[in-house]
Amino acid sequence: MASARGLITLTSGLLSSAVPLQCSTPCSLRASICPLLSQVRHRNQKKTRFKAPPEPKQMERWSKTVKQKFDTVSKVSKYSEAFLSRVPVDDVWIRTHYLRPRFSLEECLDRHKEFAEPCMLDNLEGFVYADMQLDMKTKKKTKFLPNVKGTLLLPYQFEQNVERKIAIICKKEEDMEKAKNLGASFVGGVDLVKQIQEGLVDKDDIDAVLCTPEVITELIPIRSLLKDKFPNKGKGSVGSDIEEMWTLYSKGVTYNSQKETDAVGRLQVPLGQLKMPTDELMANFTAYVEDICKGRAKNLGPLITQILVIAPPSTERFLLQIEDYVPGYEKRTDTRQEDSDSEDEEAAA
């Protein structure tokens, strides 16, 4: 108790006097004696400031000459002649600095056939397609072409595994019997027109409507219902030869483009099965291009701007050298072929 009283008297004496700030009592002892006192540093005390170490300079990766060449390569426009004529010398190159490699149709088909071999994907029964990009622009900036549609009988046919419901409208009994023998889903005359008009025969159940010339005027009441399915002589759905029309629409291929934007369309058509000879697939491709581009005016330029040859389930998409197959392009010589020819000449010399 005596020590506690002495500590209290010492503490009260220190608080009442002005000497504790100048005494030589250690800081730890002062803090234990009077925790209310805090250490006050002198304002005029000089502090030594240390500078941060200088940051090392980054070394240049390339010399000035190499850097200048790299800058010129990266600044070349993709639409300039210098970029379009650039061809990689090696079998490995930077994609952004060169055009995407393009192939001939024969080379595209041969490559897909190699992937479809039994030791690879085993897909020789599969189909090969031409995926086309269409230019739907016209002379007017605010007007665009409608979707491209048509039915084509290919020179080399193949099984499509698609059942089409065809309606044949005619007056003669001979034509009706022929249509029934061919296997038409709906056969009739004026009575069939009334059934479609009243809704007894659903228009969505009919894929194509064929008719003879003598009944074309009686189909006018259902023109708004059929819309694109309405018979047209230009499409081959109006004629006196029923068997010819039936062959076109039952065994032919019907194509219809879809618009990605107002100015860009997309169309995908089957060329045939991979097991078919390459010559037959190429003949089908030529027939497609001629039929699609037949109504295109020359002053509008080419209708097809890009073609990719695909064969699902393979993920390979080979870009076709379109100038050699689509009308409206100026054929550009392949610089790779010229380089190889010049190398052969030098080697021979």
Side-chain angles (χ1 to χ4, degrees), residues 153-209:
L153 188 64
L154 297 173
Y156 297 96
Q157 302 172 14
F158 52 89
E159 296 181 1
Q160 302 179 46
N161 299 325
V162 178
E163 294 183 0
R164 305 194 66 190
K165 295 181 179 180
I166 301 174
I168 299 178
I169 302 174
C170 51
K171 280 186 176 181
K172 298 179 181 179
E173 294 182 0
E174 298 177 358
D175 295 336
M176 290 185 182
E177 291 179 2
K178 190 182 291 185
K180 291 178 181 178
N181 295 332
L182 290 172
S185 301
F186 304 96
V187 179
V190 181
D191 55 343
L192 181 58
V193 176
K194 291 181 180 180
Q195 291 176 5
I196 297 172
Q197 187 176 6
E198 294 173 0
L200 299 175
V201 176
D202 192 357
K203 60 178 182 179
D204 296 331
D205 293 338
I206 303 173
D207 296 322
V209 179

Side-chain angles (χ1 to χ4, degrees), residues 76-87 97-99:
V76 173
S77 174
K78 292 186 177 182
Y79 301 99
S80 62
E81 295 182 0
F83 183 84
L84 295 174
S85 61
R86 186 181 295 159
V87 179
H97 294 169
Y98 297 93
L99 281 174

Side-chain angles (χ1 to χ4, degrees), residues 330-345:
E330 295 181 0
K331 293 185 179 180
R332 187 166 55 89
T333 57
D334 194 353
T335 54
R336 290 178 294 181
Q337 185 68 24
E338 292 179 355
D339 295 338
S340 61
D341 294 342
S342 60
E343 290 176 1
D344 294 340
E345 291 177 0

Side-chain angles (χ1 to χ4, degrees), residues 3-287:
S3 60
R5 289 175 184 175
L7 183 59
I8 292 170
T9 54
L10 179 60
T11 306
S12 61
L14 289 171
L15 288 171
S16 60
S17 62
V19 179
L21 296 175
Q22 298 178 357
C23 67
S24 59
T25 310
C27 295
S28 59
L29 181 60
R30 286 201 303 266
S32 62
I33 293 172
C34 185
L36 298 176
L37 292 176
S38 61
Q39 186 178 1
V40 179
R41 294 184 180 181
H42 201 277
R43 293 181 179 179
N44 297 328
Q45 184 180 1
K46 295 182 179 180
K47 297 179 181 179
T48 56
R49 296 181 179 180
F50 298 96
K51 294 182 179 180
E55 296 182 359
K57 295 182 179 179
Q58 295 181 356
M59 301 296 293
E60 294 184 356
R61 295 174 61 184
W62 305 297
S63 62
K64 290 184 178 180
T65 55
V66 176
K67 193 173 182 181
Q68 288 175 359
K69 290 182 180 179
F70 181 79
D71 292 340
T72 54
V73 168
S74 59
K75 291 178 181 178
V76 173
S77 174
K78 292 186 177 182
Y79 301 99
S80 62
E81 295 182 0
F83 183 84
L84 295 174
S85 61
R86 186 181 295 159
V87 179
V89 180
D90 205 349
D91 56 351
V92 178
W93 62 88
I94 301 175
R95 272 182 157 184
T96 55
H97 294 169
Y98 297 93
L99 281 174
R100 184 176 176 178
R102 301 183 302 166
F103 307 95
S104 63
L105 179 60
E106 185 177 3
E107 191 173 1
C108 295
L109 296 173
D110 291 341
R111 291 192 175 205
H112 278 303
K113 286 186 176 184
E114 290 179 1
F115 290 134
E117 290 293 332
C119 59
M120 296 288 287
L121 297 177
D122 193 13
N123 188 37
L124 290 174
E125 297 290 334
F127 293 91
V128 58
Y129 299 87
D131 191 0
M132 305 179 184
Q133 184 178 343
L134 307 179
D135 182 12
M136 313 301 285
K137 296 178 183 177
T138 60
K139 291 182 179 180
K140 296 182 179 180
K141 294 182 179 180
T142 58
K143 189 177 180 180
F144 303 95
L145 295 174
N147 284 323
V148 179
K149 303 176 183 179
T151 302
L152 176 64
L153 188 64
L154 297 173
Y156 297 96
Q157 302 172 14
F158 52 89
E159 296 181 1
Q160 302 179 46
N161 299 325
V162 178
E163 294 183 0
R164 305 194 66 190
K165 295 181 179 180
I166 301 174
I168 299 178
I169 302 174
C170 51
K171 280 186 176 181
K172 298 179 181 179
E173 294 182 0
E174 298 177 358
D175 295 336
M176 290 185 182
E177 291 179 2
K178 190 182 291 185
K180 291 178 181 178
N181 295 332
L182 290 172
S185 301
F186 304 96
V187 179
V190 181
D191 55 343
L192 181 58
V193 176
K194 291 181 180 180
Q195 291 176 5
I196 297 172
Q197 187 176 6
E198 294 173 0
L200 299 175
V201 176
D202 192 357
K203 60 178 182 179
D204 296 331
D205 293 338
I206 303 173
D207 296 322
V209 179
L210 311 179
C211 72
T212 53
E214 59 268 13
V215 295
I216 187 64
T217 55
E218 298 179 2
L219 270 68
I220 294 176
I222 59 173
R223 185 167 191 167
S224 58
L225 294 174
L226 297 178
K227 295 182 180 180
D228 295 336
K229 301 175 186 177
F230 191 80
N232 189 349
K233 191 173 182 180
K235 297 179 181 179
S237 54
V238 178
S240 57
D241 192 348
I242 294 178
E243 188 173 356
E244 184 180 355
M245 293 188 296
W246 170 263
T247 304
L248 174 63
Y249 279 87
S250 62
K251 297 182 179 180
V253 179
T254 300
Y255 56 85
N256 187 3
S257 67
Q258 302 294 331
K259 282 196 175 184
E260 295 182 347
T261 62
D262 290 336
V264 179
R266 179 70 63 180
L267 177 62
Q268 191 175 106
V269 291
L271 303 181
Q273 292 178 301
L274 289 168
K275 65 181 181 180
M276 295 172 60
T278 305
D279 297 338
E280 296 182 0
L281 295 174
M282 293 177 66
N284 288 345
F285 174 81
T286 305

Side-chain angles (χ1 to χ4, degrees), residues 283-299:
N284 288 345
F285 174 81
T286 305
Y288 274 122
V289 173
E290 291 178 355
D291 192 67
I292 293 169
C293 300
K294 64 182 179 182
R296 181 72 166 184
K298 293 182 179 179
N299 56 358

